[in-house]
Amino acid sequence: MHVSFNIAADLEAAMQTAAFTAGLEPGAFSPELRPADPRHGDFQANGALGYAKSRQLNPRAVAEQLLATLPRAVRDAFDVNIAGPGFINFRLKPATLLAWLNAYDSAEHLKSGAATFYSGRHYVVDYGSPNTAKQMHVGHIRSIIIGEAICRLLEFCGASVVRDNHLGDWGTQFGKILYGYRHFLDRDALERDPLEEFERLYKAADLACKADPGALEESRLALVRLQQGEPDAVALWQQVNQVSTDVLKPLYTLLGVHYDHFLGESFYRDKVGQVYHELTTAGIAEESQGALVVFHPEHPRFAQQPFIVRKSDGASNYASTDLATMVYRVEHFAADGVIIVTDTRQNDHLEQLWLTTRKWFAATGRRLPEFHHVTFGTILGEDGKAIKTRSGDPIRLKALLAEAEERAFALVTEKSPELPETERRDIANAVGLGAVRYADLSQNRSSDYIFSWEKILSFEGNTAPYLLYAVTRIQSIFRKAGFDPADAAATAGATGPETAGEITLARKLVGFATVLTLTTAQLRPHFLCTYLYELAGEFSTFYVADKVIVDDPAVRARRLLLCARTLLVLETGLNLLGLRTLARM
Ligand code: ARG
């Protein structure tokens, strides 16, 4: 029996075919397929009701018509019945569940099943993207973690992805650093820890600018000098960026993130002239008090609040480079979609960017890509305020990750003191970093969340330790049985699921396809997290109820099959979220 990866999508298409065959008005019928209450089946189609109502027909009669014309393959795969006023219930037959479990037996096969969702689509994902001249702190982690999960998910579903770090390496901070360098430099400190010193210089200059309009003017002029390419300013700017990226890169490596490009704002500095020209020619931008601005009269706020695309002193800004970036992504990278991952403070900027891009691309006959601003909330401390160190400074990302590994090491040592230290360190790396990552991804990204070590390192609840442990538990079932989980011999001759625990677990596994479509459609990784957590729960229920290593070879094989596929889906899902899984812990 051939069974497709995304059973729900196939069923939906088959219902449309049935509607056509049954002579329902073309285009007027929607199957309205949704997951059913498990007592009634796997899917329920409610479309007959809406169709009948709008045409004053009897809904049950419409449902019966549809049922009679359902393609043969649907009847082979499901038990089908009509309930109530005309709902159609579909229950996956055990043979269908078995066929799916047999077909999707490796990460590659799952991937080729999912590859149709986004096949041929090409995305540029802009994430991480910190401003240079300072250390990354916790606030930066969400963009990195969420962005990387989105890249992996899209790739798994068939898209090709360019990972681009749009460094803030050309902003007003450089005017201040140039000013600070001139007035406050401590040469020894620069020798010892250049990034630290640049950050200090920036802060000192920032304070000076707040107190003294003269300082502000001087740093503004310094920025103009840099933008005009004065050699001393350019040399310092290069040094700052070099020092910054040297510090950034090991952190990305630690987090398993490998960028294809680091095309920061400065990369676009010679591409802004075209932006000014085209926006002006198309009548989209206008001069206002020396600046070039874009208003959006149709918008409640941006009719008055301008999008400043060139400052009155002639300097480019965040808007100019971002507009040039849009063109580059569409023309150079041939992107079908652009995804930018930042916190909500950039909502206005990115909304104005997109409104402007739409008008501009329409005027110049460019192809408009999809655009997604993926936003997220703040990480809060246990006091409910933005997370800080004791002294009130932002927590450094590096320090946070190191603490995660240390805490996980203590935990592993307590649980498994018998393991050699190198292995405990390795486990601590996967658990510690995994915990930080999973804590972030398992929340709906739109909300703020409270960061608590105790909670994220707990072995109970929707956490990384719980899921990583679930993986090792299944691994140990195979170790004890003397099989490799990928060894087909262990599961050969498996029959379709029979007991309640087996059936529930098998259905949950088949639901992997649905959760992938939901997660990628909304670019919200927490849907996948919730699914994995529920899957681990269904596995526990099954494992408590149904002994796996029994004498009957067919029963043993089918239970080992469920174990093997649960392991596969858990590992695949966790890897998509950026977690490294373990064989034991
Ligand atoms: N550098 C910005 C920041 O630190 C984020 C950049 C996001 N990407 C973009 N193309 N605007 O907030």
Side-chain angles (χ1 to χ4, degrees):
M1 170 197 238
H2 168 78
V3 60
S4 75
F5 180 64
N6 191 355
I7 291 181
D10 269 28
L11 179 56
E12 177 121 28
M15 294 275 311
Q16 288 288 10
T17 310
F20 181 79
T21 319
L24 268 50
E25 210 176 293
F29 171 78
S30 153
E32 291 181 37
L33 197 68
R34 53 198 61 162
D37 176 334
R39 284 170 306 181
H40 301 142
D42 292 275
F43 304 103
Q44 183 175 66
N46 298 349
L49 273 72
Y51 183 85
K53 191 166 178 225
S54 63
R55 280 163 186 74
Q56 292 176 325
L57 299 168
N58 174 350
R60 247 195 114 90
V62 174
E64 262 151 28
Q65 252 180 302
L66 284 166
L67 206 71
T69 49
L70 267 180
R72 164 104 232 171
V74 176
R75 300 192 146 277
D76 287 345
F78 295 93
D79 289 316
V80 191
N81 65 60
I82 300 178
F87 309 115
I88 310 179
N89 288 321
F90 299 89
R91 184 188 293 279
L92 285 160
K93 291 184 182 174
T96 315
L97 292 167
L98 178 65
W100 195 94
L101 295 174
N102 278 327
Y104 300 101
D105 59 350
S106 64
E108 297 85 87
H109 287 161
L110 288 171
K111 185 171 186 222
S112 52
T116 54
F117 302 168
Y118 284 84
S119 81
R121 304 288 296 162
H122 184 53
Y123 289 86
V124 172
V125 185
D126 167 342
Y127 66 112
S129 308
N131 294 335
T132 55
K134 56 179 179 211
Q135 301 269 355
M136 282 200 283
H137 54 81
V138 264
H140 292 104
I141 205 177
R142 300 206 74 182
S143 176
I144 304 173
I145 289 177
I146 294 168
E148 179 62 23
I150 287 176
C151 290
R152 293 184 185 200
L153 280 156
L154 288 173
E155 281 174 333
F156 193 78
C157 295
S160 58
V161 170
V162 167
R163 290 166 166 80
D164 185 18
N165 193 320
H166 191 81
L167 292 168
D169 59 1
W170 194 240
T172 41
Q173 79 260 38
F174 285 100
K176 291 189 179 153
I177 291 167
L178 286 163
Y179 178 89
Y181 195 84
R182 174 134 182 238
H183 295 278
F184 310 122
L185 180 66
D186 173 345
R187 292 215 173 262
D188 292 338
L190 188 69
E191 275 297 301
R192 272 197 312 276
D193 188 339
L195 188 54
E196 197 74 42
E197 177 61 2
F198 287 134
E199 201 168 343
R200 189 189 70 81
L201 289 177
Y202 171 79
K203 281 187 195 148
D206 193 45
L207 280 179
C209 290
K210 283 194 179 114
D212 171 12
L216 187 63
E217 182 60 10
E218 191 183 327
S219 44
R220 198 185 60 75
L221 288 174
L223 183 67
V224 176
R225 280 200 296 117
L226 172 65
Q227 295 203 343
Q228 286 166 349
E230 278 197 31
D232 65 320
V234 171
L236 182 62
W237 164 74
Q238 271 167 342
Q239 191 193 348
V240 172
N241 286 333
Q242 190 58 50
V243 162
S244 307
T245 41
D246 287 349
V247 172
L248 291 173
K249 285 186 176 167
L251 276 170
Y252 293 130
T253 308
L254 184 63
L255 288 169
V257 173
H258 304 284
Y259 285 103
D260 300 300
H261 300 283
F262 282 83
L263 299 178
E265 292 168 22
S266 69
F267 176 77
Y268 299 95
R269 65 186 186 276
D270 63 352
K271 299 178 176 58
V272 293
Q274 186 193 0
V275 176
Y276 306 147
H277 175 72
E278 290 187 6
L279 287 178
T280 313
T281 313
I284 295 167
E286 58 194 81
E287 295 262 352
S288 167
Q289 295 160 19
L292 192 63
V293 302
V294 178
F295 288 103
H296 296 286
E298 74 287 6
H299 191 279
R301 263 173 309 127
F302 307 139
Q304 261 93 52
Q305 185 185 319
F307 192 42
I308 304 174
V309 301
R310 190 185 63 213
K311 298 197 287 184
S312 53
D313 59 13
S316 66
N317 65 2
Y318 192 39
S320 346
T321 48
D322 252 346
L323 286 161
T325 305
M326 274 289 187
V327 174
Y328 194 76
R329 287 177 174 164
V330 170
E331 292 185 347
H332 178 81
F333 288 123
D336 299 305
V338 171
I339 298 173
I340 298 181
V341 188
T342 79
D343 68 24
T344 48
R345 286 173 300 179
Q346 304 216 8
N347 284 1
D348 275 9
H349 168 76
L350 290 166
E351 201 179 333
Q352 286 171 300
L353 173 68
W354 181 235
L355 284 170
T356 309
T357 302
R358 268 167 40 192
K359 294 177 186 171
W360 173 31
F361 280 22
T364 50
R366 287 192 179 89
R367 185 176 50 85
L368 196 67
E370 287 171 37
F371 178 69
H372 305 274
H373 178 204
V374 169
T375 62
F376 49 82
T378 313
I379 307 181
L380 305 174
E382 297 198 58
D383 59 359
K385 300 197 187 103
I387 189 166
K388 292 262 157 60
T389 59
R390 258 175 233 281
S391 57
D393 295 324
I395 297 176
R396 297 255 163 103
L397 184 52
K398 199 172 156 186
L400 181 93
L401 298 179
E403 182 167 356
E405 287 197 58
E406 270 324 303
R407 285 180 183 260
F409 182 69
L411 201 68
V412 176
T413 303
E414 185 192 308
K415 287 221 171 223
S416 315
E418 73 288 357
L419 295 177
E421 175 168 350
T422 45
E423 187 173 351
R424 276 180 285 133
R425 290 265 169 223
D426 181 60
I427 296 172
N429 170 276
V431 173
L433 300 184
V436 170
R437 230 178 177 123
Y438 193 83
D440 204 290
L441 294 171
S442 55
Q443 307 289 322
N444 185 336
R445 60 175 167 75
S446 299
S447 356
D448 297 344
Y449 74 91
I450 293 185
F451 187 92
S452 138
W453 285 114
E454 204 187 319
K455 229 169 101 187
I456 74 172
L457 285 169
S458 165
F459 278 83
E460 269 149 55
N462 189 9
T463 66
Y466 171 77
L467 287 168
L468 292 173
Y469 183 69
V471 166
T472 59
R473 204 161 60 133
I474 305 177
Q475 292 274 15
S476 89
I477 296 170
F478 281 93
R479 265 199 303 278
K480 285 193 193 122
F483 283 114
D484 186 291
D487 181 357
T491 57
T495 48
E498 273 176 30
T499 67
E502 291 167 0
I503 290 174
T504 314
L505 180 57
R507 287 166 133 183
K508 191 79 196 169
L509 286 164
V510 169
F512 186 49
T514 312
V515 77
L516 282 177
T517 55
L518 179 66
T519 308
T520 48
Q522 300 209 17
L523 301 174
R524 289 187 190 276
H526 77 282
F527 288 120
L528 178 57
C529 295
T530 307
Y531 166 83
L532 295 173
Y533 176 56
E534 287 171 359
L535 175 61
E538 303 290 14
F539 181 80
S540 290
T541 312
F542 151 79
Y543 192 63
V544 168
D546 297 319
K547 194 163 184 288
V548 173
I549 308 302
V550 291
D551 289 337
D552 182 334
V555 176
R556 188 177 61 209
R558 84 168 182 246
R559 291 188 182 161
L560 280 173
L561 178 67
L562 287 164
C563 293
R565 295 304 178 264
T566 305
L567 178 63
L568 173 67
V569 171
L570 281 176
E571 291 203 300
T572 306
L574 289 169
N575 293 159
L576 287 173
L577 298 169
L579 277 78
R580 183 163 66 87
T581 55
L582 297 157
R584 58 176 189 178
M585 62 191 269

